Amino acid sequence: MELAWDMITSRKPMTIDGGLAAELESRGFNLDDELWSAKILLENPEAIKDVHRAYFEAGADIVITASYQVSYEGLLRRGHSQHDAYTWIRKSVMLAQYAQEEVQRANPDSGHLLVAASVGPYGAFLADGSEYRGDYSISDKALYFFHSQRIIPLWSGEPNIFAVETQPSFPEVKCILRVLRDHLQERSTWTHHVPKPPIWISFTLRDAEHIADGTPLAEVIDFLNLEPWVVAVGVNCVPRKMVAPALRHLATLTDKVLLAYPNSGEKWNASAHEWESSDECDVKSLEEYMQEWTQAGATMIGGCCRTGMRETQTVKKCLEPVVTFSKWGRSELKFVIELKNSSEGFASINRQHELLGHVLTINDLAMESTPHTFKIATIPGDGIGVDVTQAATEVLEKLASAKGRGMFHFEFEEFDWNSENYDKRGWYMPEDWMQQLKKHDAILFGALDQYINLRPSRILPGTTSPLTSCASNPESLDWLIVRENSEGEYSGQGGTTHASSPFTAATEVSIFTRPACVRTFRFAFEIAKARKRRHLTLVTKSNAQRHGMVLWDTVFTEIAQDYEGVVTWDKVLVDAMTVRMVNKPQSIDTVVATNLHADILTDLAAALSGSIGIAPSSNLDPKRVNPSMFEPIHGSAPDIAGKGVANPVGSLWSAVEMVRWLGEGLRSQQRHGDDSKDDVGKLMEDASDLLMKSVESVLISGIRTRDLGGQSSTVEVTESVCKEIEKMAA
């Protein structure tokens, strides 16, 4: 969601898709139905996904979901249950996300693509043309309920943006914003940090200065200017010739981003259920209109009803920058960007081209820029934590110098929060520990609001598993275990009564909440979907724990419906899972388990992989609100602390995951005009692969600590990995 905020507020030119219905009709689907395109959502969801994908491939940066005209009432009238309605509305977001992911997998250079959840007006449900008039009568309470039933499942699908579109009524816009605000407040009681997807609001118009219900745009925008959550305003489903005057008027009322996605100019005949030609049909070309709209300040442009792929391709072509930049100083770069965005608009492009005289690329300019610094908090803690943390920092410094090419480096800050200092000063961490850690990009040994613990297990080259079945086929043990990291059996709830009596009783209460289950399972399914086998195993104990674990199972099966045909899954009791890990390792791919179950199973997984000393873990905040933490799963091992024999591989593998996580985050936060961030992100992902290969190469060479059957010390392994990094990076 942060990516969407950055892309929109940077005023990067972005192409919005064309009409979903128009493309479906061109493919032979009959939409003569009060549900309109939602009819196809129910009958042939794969067709919806295919159209979304086609729009992305045609050049759209944003596709809008098929939820415009879908509602609980409409689905209930068709005989669907409330649960069905919730599922289908949420699935409208998931289908667009599937298309988004397919395009990005097929073409990694496709750039950042976004999904906007459509929140249409009440008039769209009525299907009587009133979304172009705003003259329907409904009580505020009923309207609030109507939109709540749609917005909650849309939100659960985690769209990048909320597109509150084709809005004819000022009271309805205020109602929708109240629903969104109230839902945010409710979700904030579930978790400390709730990311806000940005909102755009687009209107149907009576004229260039009034929305369809007659309210002056000035009055509406005065209200929206006080809503920082609303990042863009504009018009949609209006004739093209009305767009430029409306945009020019909006530009005098607000500093928010401006958008426009008009229709073809035809008019909808609600009684005949058909589009009719009118004097609003265009006499100018789309290219000519594009020049007017960009000059008026629009940076997000697309099409609505009766527009399709051809219009999307035209919009994309008109918004594409004519020049890219390289081998120029920053003052020249700034000048070119300002000229490109000046009021001269497209008419200035040819003069720019003549002025520059040659084509530039961003990469060389990026090489001359200041390197990106990642601030890493290190908390060595106790025992061998000191040794392995030092090994990780040394290897990361070597990685930055050998592979970073001057584009990134790490800045470490160590925190002496350990048991020894606790004995001296009476506290482990200061009261402002969270504020201190949140200043950093990542943590080596630490903790914050990190609700996912991700633990990979595989047999590394140069190591052996105690499982004889893996001797000839080590690839058969390649698991990724997702651990719910915020509640469950480690919630810290319970108490002790009658402590000094013979009847002492103690309780340890497990806490399971639907929101935590939902976010964990959705993360697990997404991780499984990205892996080759696309299989997810749910670990449970609902046969004996009949409340929390039953909720755990129930929510899982609900989320699984969104991934039907994409990810296969099965359910295993935790005790049976231990047997399966030993006897049938090849049957396991991705696993999701509770806090306690995953804690135990991952120790077994590490041992089966060769040693608990090699196992990494990532404590993630997938929303990237807080820095994530990376650590080996082993404890402080006081029996070997300070002897120089601790295995650093678990810490080094954790460092691999940290570098990859930071690189992915940097790429997702790329801002317009600074493609160097994307370059650094790619470089860091390459660097994480190089570090992993260096560790594996050292193990293959026989340089291993005692737990892996070798005789090497912690320092010897670390130095060997540093040398291998230099060799591979050369």
Side-chain angles (χ1 to χ4, degrees), residues 523-581:
F523 181 91
F525 270 106
E526 289 296 321
I527 286 290
K529 184 172 68 173
R531 284 169 63 83
K532 186 176 180 180
R533 291 177 54 195
R534 294 190 172 193
H535 184 78
L536 179 61
T537 297
L538 173 72
V539 174
T540 184
K541 194 58 180 172
S542 53
N543 63 326
Q545 296 175 284
R546 300 179 183 178
H547 300 290
M549 296 293 335
V550 169
L551 176 64
W552 173 261
D553 291 2
T554 300
V555 175
F556 179 90
T557 56
E558 292 174 2
I559 300 299
Q561 295 178 35
D562 292 336
Y563 296 87
E564 185 176 354
V566 179
V567 177
T568 60
W569 62 272
D570 63 344
K571 181 170 75 171
V572 182
L573 296 177
V574 63
D575 37 0
M577 188 64 180
T578 60
V579 178
R580 182 170 164 185
M581 291 168 71

Short mmCIF file of all heavy atoms in Angstrom, two decimals, residues 523-581:
data_model
loop_
_atom_site.label_atom_id
_atom_site.label_comp_id
_atom_site.label_asym_id
_atom_site.label_seq_id
_atom_site.Cartn_x
_atom_site.Cartn_y
_atom_site.Cartn_z
N PHE A 523 -0.81 -14.61 4.04
CA PHE A 523 0.63 -14.57 3.78
C PHE A 523 1.13 -15.95 3.37
O PHE A 523 1.91 -16.09 2.42
CB PHE A 523 1.37 -14.09 5.03
CG PHE A 523 2.86 -13.98 4.86
CD1 PHE A 523 3.44 -12.79 4.42
CD2 PHE A 523 3.70 -15.07 5.11
CE1 PHE A 523 4.81 -12.69 4.25
CE2 PHE A 523 5.07 -14.98 4.95
CZ PHE A 523 5.62 -13.79 4.52
N ALA A 524 0.68 -16.99 4.08
CA ALA A 524 1.14 -18.35 3.79
C ALA A 524 0.72 -18.78 2.38
O ALA A 524 1.51 -19.40 1.65
CB ALA A 524 0.59 -19.32 4.83
N PHE A 525 -0.51 -18.49 2.00
CA PHE A 525 -0.96 -18.86 0.65
C PHE A 525 -0.17 -18.10 -0.41
O PHE A 525 0.18 -18.67 -1.46
CB PHE A 525 -2.45 -18.59 0.50
CG PHE A 525 -3.32 -19.76 0.89
CD1 PHE A 525 -4.04 -19.75 2.08
CD2 PHE A 525 -3.43 -20.87 0.07
CE1 PHE A 525 -4.84 -20.82 2.44
CE2 PHE A 525 -4.22 -21.95 0.42
CZ PHE A 525 -4.93 -21.93 1.62
N GLU A 526 0.11 -16.83 -0.16
CA GLU A 526 0.88 -16.06 -1.14
C GLU A 526 2.30 -16.61 -1.27
O GLU A 526 2.84 -16.69 -2.38
CB GLU A 526 0.92 -14.58 -0.73
CG GLU A 526 -0.40 -13.86 -0.87
CD GLU A 526 -0.87 -13.77 -2.30
OE1 GLU A 526 -0.04 -13.55 -3.19
OE2 GLU A 526 -2.09 -13.93 -2.54
N ILE A 527 2.90 -16.99 -0.16
CA ILE A 527 4.24 -17.58 -0.20
C ILE A 527 4.20 -18.91 -0.95
O ILE A 527 5.06 -19.20 -1.80
CB ILE A 527 4.77 -17.80 1.24
CG1 ILE A 527 5.17 -16.45 1.86
CG2 ILE A 527 5.96 -18.75 1.25
CD1 ILE A 527 6.40 -15.82 1.26
N ALA A 528 3.19 -19.73 -0.65
CA ALA A 528 3.07 -21.03 -1.32
C ALA A 528 2.86 -20.84 -2.82
O ALA A 528 3.39 -21.59 -3.64
CB ALA A 528 1.92 -21.83 -0.71
N LYS A 529 2.08 -19.84 -3.17
CA LYS A 529 1.79 -19.58 -4.58
C LYS A 529 3.04 -19.22 -5.36
O LYS A 529 3.15 -19.51 -6.55
CB LYS A 529 0.75 -18.45 -4.68
CG LYS A 529 0.29 -18.18 -6.11
CD LYS A 529 -0.86 -17.19 -6.12
CE LYS A 529 -0.42 -15.82 -5.68
NZ LYS A 529 -1.49 -14.81 -5.85
N ALA A 530 4.00 -18.59 -4.70
CA ALA A 530 5.23 -18.17 -5.37
C ALA A 530 6.25 -19.30 -5.49
O ALA A 530 7.26 -19.15 -6.18
CB ALA A 530 5.85 -17.00 -4.60
N ARG A 531 6.01 -20.42 -4.80
CA ARG A 531 6.93 -21.54 -4.86
C ARG A 531 6.54 -22.51 -5.98
O ARG A 531 5.41 -22.49 -6.48
CB ARG A 531 6.98 -22.27 -3.50
CG ARG A 531 7.79 -21.49 -2.47
CD ARG A 531 7.63 -22.04 -1.07
NE ARG A 531 8.11 -23.39 -0.90
CZ ARG A 531 9.38 -23.72 -0.66
NH1 ARG A 531 10.32 -22.79 -0.60
NH2 ARG A 531 9.72 -24.99 -0.47
N LYS A 532 7.49 -23.33 -6.37
CA LYS A 532 7.31 -24.18 -7.55
C LYS A 532 6.15 -25.15 -7.40
O LYS A 532 5.35 -25.34 -8.31
CB LYS A 532 8.61 -24.94 -7.83
CG LYS A 532 8.59 -25.75 -9.11
CD LYS A 532 9.95 -26.39 -9.37
CE LYS A 532 9.94 -27.19 -10.66
NZ LYS A 532 11.27 -27.81 -10.93
N ARG A 533 6.04 -25.80 -6.24
CA ARG A 533 5.03 -26.85 -6.07
C ARG A 533 3.65 -26.29 -5.72
O ARG A 533 2.65 -26.97 -5.89
CB ARG A 533 5.48 -27.85 -5.01
CG ARG A 533 6.67 -28.69 -5.44
CD ARG A 533 7.13 -29.61 -4.32
NE ARG A 533 6.04 -30.42 -3.80
CZ ARG A 533 6.09 -31.09 -2.66
NH1 ARG A 533 7.17 -31.03 -1.90
NH2 ARG A 533 5.06 -31.82 -2.26
N ARG A 534 3.59 -25.11 -5.17
CA ARG A 534 2.32 -24.46 -4.85
C ARG A 534 1.42 -25.34 -3.97
O ARG A 534 0.25 -25.57 -4.27
CB ARG A 534 1.57 -24.04 -6.11
CG ARG A 534 2.27 -22.97 -6.92
CD ARG A 534 1.37 -22.44 -8.00
NE ARG A 534 1.96 -21.29 -8.66
CZ ARG A 534 1.31 -20.47 -9.46
NH1 ARG A 534 0.03 -20.67 -9.70
NH2 ARG A 534 1.92 -19.45 -10.04
N HIS A 535 2.00 -25.84 -2.89
CA HIS A 535 1.23 -26.68 -1.96
C HIS A 535 1.44 -26.16 -0.53
O HIS A 535 2.56 -25.86 -0.13
CB HIS A 535 1.67 -28.14 -2.05
CG HIS A 535 0.84 -29.04 -1.18
ND1 HIS A 535 -0.42 -29.46 -1.53
CD2 HIS A 535 1.09 -29.58 0.05
CE1 HIS A 535 -0.91 -30.22 -0.57
NE2 HIS A 535 -0.02 -30.31 0.40
N LEU A 536 0.35 -26.09 0.22
CA LEU A 536 0.40 -25.57 1.59
C LEU A 536 -0.21 -26.60 2.53
O LEU A 536 -1.29 -27.14 2.27
CB LEU A 536 -0.38 -24.26 1.68
CG LEU A 536 -0.45 -23.59 3.06
CD1 LEU A 536 0.94 -23.21 3.56
CD2 LEU A 536 -1.35 -22.36 3.01
N THR A 537 0.49 -26.86 3.64
CA THR A 537 0.01 -27.79 4.67
C THR A 537 -0.35 -27.01 5.93
O THR A 537 0.48 -26.25 6.45
CB THR A 537 1.07 -28.85 5.00
OG1 THR A 537 1.34 -29.64 3.82
CG2 THR A 537 0.60 -29.77 6.11
N LEU A 538 -1.57 -27.20 6.40
CA LEU A 538 -2.01 -26.59 7.66
C LEU A 538 -1.75 -27.58 8.78
O LEU A 538 -2.20 -28.72 8.75
CB LEU A 538 -3.51 -26.28 7.60
CG LEU A 538 -4.13 -25.81 8.92
CD1 LEU A 538 -3.68 -24.39 9.24
CD2 LEU A 538 -5.65 -25.90 8.88
N VAL A 539 -1.02 -27.12 9.80
CA VAL A 539 -0.78 -27.93 10.99
C VAL A 539 -1.76 -27.49 12.08
O VAL A 539 -1.92 -26.29 12.33
CB VAL A 539 0.68 -27.77 11.48
CG1 VAL A 539 0.87 -28.51 12.80
CG2 VAL A 539 1.64 -28.29 10.43
N THR A 540 -2.41 -28.46 12.72
CA THR A 540 -3.45 -28.13 13.69
C THR A 540 -3.48 -29.17 14.81
O THR A 540 -2.77 -30.18 14.76
CB THR A 540 -4.82 -28.08 12.98
OG1 THR A 540 -5.82 -27.65 13.92
CG2 THR A 540 -5.19 -29.44 12.42
N LYS A 541 -4.31 -28.92 15.79
CA LYS A 541 -4.60 -29.89 16.85
C LYS A 541 -6.06 -29.72 17.27
O LYS A 541 -6.41 -29.79 18.45
CB LYS A 541 -3.65 -29.70 18.03
CG LYS A 541 -3.64 -30.87 19.04
CD LYS A 541 -3.27 -32.20 18.43
CE LYS A 541 -3.29 -33.31 19.47
NZ LYS A 541 -3.14 -34.65 18.85
N SER A 542 -6.91 -29.49 16.27
CA SER A 542 -8.31 -29.19 16.55
C SER A 542 -9.09 -30.41 17.03
O SER A 542 -10.23 -30.27 17.47
CB SER A 542 -8.97 -28.61 15.30
OG SER A 542 -8.77 -29.45 14.18
N ASN A 543 -8.51 -31.59 16.94
CA ASN A 543 -9.19 -32.77 17.48
C ASN A 543 -9.21 -32.76 19.01
O ASN A 543 -10.05 -33.40 19.63
CB ASN A 543 -8.53 -34.05 16.97
CG ASN A 543 -7.08 -34.18 17.44
OD1 ASN A 543 -6.38 -33.18 17.59
ND2 ASN A 543 -6.64 -35.42 17.63
N ALA A 544 -8.28 -32.02 19.61
CA ALA A 544 -8.20 -31.98 21.07
C ALA A 544 -8.45 -30.57 21.62
O ALA A 544 -9.03 -30.42 22.70
CB ALA A 544 -6.83 -32.47 21.54
N GLN A 545 -8.02 -29.55 20.90
CA GLN A 545 -8.22 -28.16 21.34
C GLN A 545 -9.38 -27.60 20.53
O GLN A 545 -9.22 -27.22 19.37
CB GLN A 545 -6.94 -27.36 21.13
CG GLN A 545 -5.78 -27.86 21.98
CD GLN A 545 -4.48 -27.14 21.67
OE1 GLN A 545 -3.84 -27.40 20.66
NE2 GLN A 545 -4.07 -26.25 22.55
N ARG A 546 -10.55 -27.53 21.14
CA ARG A 546 -11.80 -27.42 20.39
C ARG A 546 -12.35 -26.01 20.28
O ARG A 546 -13.50 -25.83 19.88
CB ARG A 546 -12.84 -28.34 21.02
CG ARG A 546 -12.39 -29.80 20.99
CD ARG A 546 -13.40 -30.73 21.61
NE ARG A 546 -12.91 -32.11 21.63
CZ ARG A 546 -13.58 -33.13 22.15
NH1 ARG A 546 -14.75 -32.92 22.72
NH2 ARG A 546 -13.06 -34.35 22.13
N HIS A 547 -11.56 -25.02 20.64
CA HIS A 547 -12.04 -23.64 20.50
C HIS A 547 -11.08 -22.84 19.60
O HIS A 547 -11.40 -22.55 18.45
CB HIS A 547 -12.21 -23.00 21.87
CG HIS A 547 -13.19 -23.73 22.74
ND1 HIS A 547 -14.54 -23.73 22.50
CD2 HIS A 547 -13.00 -24.50 23.83
CE1 HIS A 547 -15.16 -24.46 23.40
NE2 HIS A 547 -14.24 -24.95 24.23
N GLY A 548 -9.92 -22.52 20.16
CA GLY A 548 -8.96 -21.74 19.38
C GLY A 548 -8.53 -22.44 18.10
O GLY A 548 -8.47 -21.83 17.02
N MET A 549 -8.23 -23.73 18.20
CA MET A 549 -7.76 -24.44 17.01
C MET A 549 -8.88 -24.68 16.01
O MET A 549 -8.62 -24.78 14.81
CB MET A 549 -7.13 -25.78 17.40
CG MET A 549 -5.89 -25.71 18.26
SD MET A 549 -4.38 -25.02 17.56
CE MET A 549 -4.48 -25.23 15.85
N VAL A 550 -10.12 -24.75 16.47
CA VAL A 550 -11.24 -24.86 15.54
C VAL A 550 -11.38 -23.56 14.74
O VAL A 550 -11.62 -23.58 13.52
CB VAL A 550 -12.54 -25.21 16.29
CG1 VAL A 550 -13.75 -25.06 15.37
CG2 VAL A 550 -12.47 -26.64 16.83
N LEU A 551 -11.24 -22.42 15.43
CA LEU A 551 -11.24 -21.14 14.71
C LEU A 551 -10.09 -21.10 13.71
O LEU A 551 -10.25 -20.66 12.56
CB LEU A 551 -11.13 -19.98 15.69
CG LEU A 551 -11.01 -18.59 15.04
CD1 LEU A 551 -12.27 -18.24 14.26
CD2 LEU A 551 -10.71 -17.52 16.10
N TRP A 552 -8.93 -21.55 14.13
CA TRP A 552 -7.74 -21.61 13.27
C TRP A 552 -8.06 -22.37 11.98
O TRP A 552 -7.79 -21.90 10.87
CB TRP A 552 -6.62 -22.28 14.07
CG TRP A 552 -5.34 -22.62 13.40
CD1 TRP A 552 -4.97 -23.83 12.92
CD2 TRP A 552 -4.22 -21.74 13.18
NE1 TRP A 552 -3.69 -23.77 12.41
CE2 TRP A 552 -3.20 -22.50 12.56
CE3 TRP A 552 -3.97 -20.40 13.45
CZ2 TRP A 552 -1.98 -21.96 12.20
CZ3 TRP A 552 -2.74 -19.86 13.09
CH2 TRP A 552 -1.76 -20.63 12.48
N ASP A 553 -8.67 -23.55 12.11
CA ASP A 553 -9.03 -24.36 10.95
C ASP A 553 -10.09 -23.68 10.09
O ASP A 553 -10.03 -23.69 8.86
CB ASP A 553 -9.55 -25.73 11.39
CG ASP A 553 -8.47 -26.61 12.00
OD1 ASP A 553 -7.33 -26.15 12.11
OD2 ASP A 553 -8.79 -27.75 12.37
N THR A 554 -11.09 -23.10 10.75
CA THR A 554 -12.21 -22.49 10.03
C THR A 554 -11.75 -21.34 9.15
O THR A 554 -12.12 -21.25 7.97
CB THR A 554 -13.28 -22.00 11.02
OG1 THR A 554 -13.76 -23.10 11.78
CG2 THR A 554 -14.43 -21.34 10.29
N VAL A 555 -10.95 -20.47 9.71
CA VAL A 555 -10.47 -19.32 8.94
C VAL A 555 -9.59 -19.78 7.78
O VAL A 555 -9.65 -19.24 6.67
CB VAL A 555 -9.71 -18.33 9.85
CG1 VAL A 555 -9.12 -17.19 9.03
CG2 VAL A 555 -10.64 -17.77 10.92
N PHE A 556 -8.79 -20.80 8.03
CA PHE A 556 -7.94 -21.32 6.95
C PHE A 556 -8.78 -21.77 5.76
O PHE A 556 -8.47 -21.43 4.61
CB PHE A 556 -7.10 -22.49 7.47
CG PHE A 556 -6.20 -23.10 6.42
CD1 PHE A 556 -4.91 -22.61 6.23
CD2 PHE A 556 -6.64 -24.14 5.60
CE1 PHE A 556 -4.08 -23.15 5.26
CE2 PHE A 556 -5.82 -24.69 4.64
CZ PHE A 556 -4.54 -24.19 4.45
N THR A 557 -9.83 -22.55 6.01
CA THR A 557 -10.64 -23.05 4.89
C THR A 557 -11.35 -21.91 4.17
O THR A 557 -11.57 -21.99 2.95
CB THR A 557 -11.66 -24.09 5.38
OG1 THR A 557 -12.47 -23.52 6.42
CG2 THR A 557 -10.96 -25.32 5.92
N GLU A 558 -11.70 -20.85 4.89
CA GLU A 558 -12.30 -19.68 4.23
C GLU A 558 -11.31 -19.01 3.28
O GLU A 558 -11.64 -18.70 2.13
CB GLU A 558 -12.79 -18.68 5.28
CG GLU A 558 -13.95 -19.16 6.11
CD GLU A 558 -14.30 -18.21 7.24
OE1 GLU A 558 -13.65 -17.15 7.36
OE2 GLU A 558 -15.22 -18.53 8.01
N ILE A 559 -10.10 -18.78 3.77
CA ILE A 559 -9.09 -18.13 2.93
C ILE A 559 -8.71 -19.03 1.76
O ILE A 559 -8.44 -18.56 0.65
CB ILE A 559 -7.84 -17.79 3.77
CG1 ILE A 559 -8.20 -16.85 4.93
CG2 ILE A 559 -6.75 -17.17 2.91
CD1 ILE A 559 -8.77 -15.53 4.50
N ALA A 560 -8.71 -20.34 1.98
CA ALA A 560 -8.33 -21.28 0.92
C ALA A 560 -9.21 -21.15 -0.31
O ALA A 560 -8.76 -21.41 -1.43
CB ALA A 560 -8.38 -22.71 1.46
N GLN A 561 -10.46 -20.72 -0.11
CA GLN A 561 -11.37 -20.57 -1.26
C GLN A 561 -10.85 -19.54 -2.26
O GLN A 561 -11.10 -19.66 -3.47
CB GLN A 561 -12.76 -20.16 -0.78
CG GLN A 561 -13.45 -21.22 0.07
CD GLN A 561 -14.80 -20.75 0.57
OE1 GLN A 561 -15.52 -20.02 -0.11
NE2 GLN A 561 -15.14 -21.15 1.78
N ASP A 562 -10.14 -18.54 -1.78
CA ASP A 562 -9.60 -17.52 -2.67
C ASP A 562 -8.47 -18.05 -3.54
O ASP A 562 -8.09 -17.40 -4.52
CB ASP A 562 -9.08 -16.32 -1.86
CG ASP A 562 -10.20 -15.55 -1.18
OD1 ASP A 562 -11.34 -15.63 -1.67
OD2 ASP A 562 -9.94 -14.88 -0.17
N TYR A 563 -7.91 -19.20 -3.17
CA TYR A 563 -6.76 -19.74 -3.90
C TYR A 563 -7.10 -21.07 -4.57
O TYR A 563 -6.20 -21.81 -4.95
CB TYR A 563 -5.57 -19.91 -2.94
CG TYR A 563 -5.09 -18.59 -2.39
CD1 TYR A 563 -5.67 -18.03 -1.25
CD2 TYR A 563 -4.09 -17.87 -3.03
CE1 TYR A 563 -5.25 -16.81 -0.75
CE2 TYR A 563 -3.65 -16.65 -2.54
CZ TYR A 563 -4.24 -16.12 -1.40
OH TYR A 563 -3.82 -14.91 -0.93
N GLU A 564 -8.40 -21.33 -4.71
CA GLU A 564 -8.83 -22.57 -5.35
C GLU A 564 -8.29 -22.62 -6.78
O GLU A 564 -8.41 -21.66 -7.55
CB GLU A 564 -10.36 -22.65 -5.35
CG GLU A 564 -10.90 -23.95 -5.89
CD GLU A 564 -12.40 -24.03 -5.79
OE1 GLU A 564 -13.02 -23.11 -5.18
OE2 GLU A 564 -12.97 -24.99 -6.32
N GLY A 565 -7.67 -23.74 -7.13
CA GLY A 565 -7.09 -23.89 -8.46
C GLY A 565 -5.72 -23.26 -8.61
O GLY A 565 -5.09 -23.39 -9.66
N VAL A 566 -5.26 -22.57 -7.58
CA VAL A 566 -3.95 -21.90 -7.62
C VAL A 566 -2.97 -22.59 -6.67
O VAL A 566 -1.83 -22.86 -7.02
CB VAL A 566 -4.08 -20.41 -7.27
CG1 VAL A 566 -2.71 -19.73 -7.30
CG2 VAL A 566 -5.03 -19.71 -8.23
N VAL A 567 -3.42 -22.85 -5.44
CA VAL A 567 -2.59 -23.51 -4.42
C VAL A 567 -3.37 -24.73 -3.90
O VAL A 567 -4.52 -24.60 -3.50
CB VAL A 567 -2.26 -22.57 -3.25
CG1 VAL A 567 -1.48 -23.30 -2.17
CG2 VAL A 567 -1.47 -21.35 -3.74
N THR A 568 -2.74 -25.90 -3.91
CA THR A 568 -3.34 -27.07 -3.28
C THR A 568 -2.99 -27.06 -1.79
O THR A 568 -2.00 -26.45 -1.38
CB THR A 568 -2.84 -28.37 -3.91
OG1 THR A 568 -1.41 -28.44 -3.78
CG2 THR A 568 -3.21 -28.41 -5.39
N TRP A 569 -3.79 -27.76 -0.98
CA TRP A 569 -3.52 -27.75 0.46
C TRP A 569 -4.02 -29.04 1.10
O TRP A 569 -4.85 -29.75 0.56
CB TRP A 569 -4.15 -26.53 1.13
CG TRP A 569 -5.64 -26.45 1.05
CD1 TRP A 569 -6.39 -25.88 0.07
CD2 TRP A 569 -6.58 -26.94 2.03
NE1 TRP A 569 -7.73 -25.99 0.35
CE2 TRP A 569 -7.88 -26.63 1.54
CE3 TRP A 569 -6.46 -27.61 3.24
CZ2 TRP A 569 -9.03 -26.96 2.25
CZ3 TRP A 569 -7.61 -27.95 3.94
CH2 TRP A 569 -8.87 -27.62 3.45
N ASP A 570 -3.46 -29.30 2.29
CA ASP A 570 -3.94 -30.40 3.11
C ASP A 570 -3.81 -30.00 4.57
O ASP A 570 -3.21 -28.98 4.90
CB ASP A 570 -3.20 -31.70 2.81
CG ASP A 570 -1.71 -31.63 3.12
OD1 ASP A 570 -1.20 -30.50 3.28
OD2 ASP A 570 -1.06 -32.67 3.20
N LYS A 571 -4.42 -30.79 5.45
CA LYS A 571 -4.43 -30.50 6.89
C LYS A 571 -3.87 -31.70 7.63
O LYS A 571 -4.27 -32.84 7.36
CB LYS A 571 -5.86 -30.18 7.35
CG LYS A 571 -5.97 -29.84 8.83
CD LYS A 571 -7.35 -29.30 9.17
CE LYS A 571 -8.39 -30.39 9.21
NZ LYS A 571 -9.69 -29.92 9.75
N VAL A 572 -2.97 -31.45 8.59
CA VAL A 572 -2.30 -32.53 9.32
C VAL A 572 -2.26 -32.17 10.81
O VAL A 572 -1.96 -31.02 11.17
CB VAL A 572 -0.85 -32.74 8.81
CG1 VAL A 572 -0.19 -33.89 9.56
CG2 VAL A 572 -0.84 -33.00 7.32
N LEU A 573 -2.56 -33.12 11.66
CA LEU A 573 -2.41 -32.92 13.11
C LEU A 573 -0.92 -32.80 13.44
O LEU A 573 -0.07 -33.44 12.83
CB LEU A 573 -3.03 -34.08 13.88
CG LEU A 573 -4.54 -34.24 13.71
CD1 LEU A 573 -5.02 -35.47 14.47
CD2 LEU A 573 -5.29 -33.00 14.17
N VAL A 574 -0.62 -32.00 14.43
CA VAL A 574 0.78 -31.67 14.70
C VAL A 574 1.61 -32.91 15.05
O VAL A 574 2.78 -33.01 14.64
CB VAL A 574 0.88 -30.60 15.81
CG1 VAL A 574 0.34 -31.11 17.14
CG2 VAL A 574 2.32 -30.11 15.96
N ASP A 575 1.06 -33.86 15.78
CA ASP A 575 1.83 -35.05 16.12
C ASP A 575 2.08 -35.90 14.88
O ASP A 575 3.18 -36.45 14.69
CB ASP A 575 1.13 -35.87 17.21
CG ASP A 575 -0.39 -35.88 17.09
OD1 ASP A 575 -0.91 -35.24 16.15
OD2 ASP A 575 -1.05 -36.51 17.93
N ALA A 576 1.09 -35.98 13.99
CA ALA A 576 1.30 -36.71 12.74
C ALA A 576 2.31 -36.00 11.84
O ALA A 576 3.01 -36.64 11.05
CB ALA A 576 -0.03 -36.88 12.01
N MET A 577 2.39 -34.68 12.00
CA MET A 577 3.32 -33.92 11.17
C MET A 577 4.77 -34.29 11.47
O MET A 577 5.62 -34.34 10.57
CB MET A 577 3.11 -32.41 11.38
CG MET A 577 3.89 -31.53 10.42
SD MET A 577 3.36 -31.78 8.72
CE MET A 577 4.46 -30.64 7.87
N THR A 578 5.08 -34.56 12.73
CA THR A 578 6.46 -34.94 13.07
C THR A 578 6.84 -36.25 12.38
O THR A 578 7.96 -36.40 11.89
CB THR A 578 6.62 -35.09 14.59
OG1 THR A 578 5.74 -36.12 15.08
CG2 THR A 578 6.31 -33.78 15.31
N VAL A 579 5.89 -37.18 12.32
CA VAL A 579 6.15 -38.46 11.64
C VAL A 579 6.33 -38.24 10.15
O VAL A 579 7.23 -38.80 9.52
CB VAL A 579 5.00 -39.45 11.91
CG1 VAL A 579 5.22 -40.75 11.17
CG2 VAL A 579 4.84 -39.69 13.41
N ARG A 580 5.49 -37.39 9.58
CA ARG A 580 5.56 -37.12 8.14
C ARG A 580 6.88 -36.45 7.77
O ARG A 580 7.47 -36.73 6.72
CB ARG A 580 4.38 -36.25 7.74
CG ARG A 580 4.30 -35.93 6.26
CD ARG A 580 2.97 -35.28 5.97
NE ARG A 580 2.94 -34.61 4.69
CZ ARG A 580 1.92 -33.90 4.24
NH1 ARG A 580 0.83 -33.77 4.99
NH2 ARG A 580 1.96 -33.31 3.06
N MET A 581 7.38 -35.55 8.61
CA MET A 581 8.64 -34.87 8.33
C MET A 581 9.80 -35.86 8.25
O MET A 581 10.73 -35.69 7.45
CB MET A 581 8.91 -33.80 9.40
CG MET A 581 7.96 -32.62 9.34
SD MET A 581 8.06 -31.53 10.78
CE MET A 581 9.65 -30.75 10.53
#
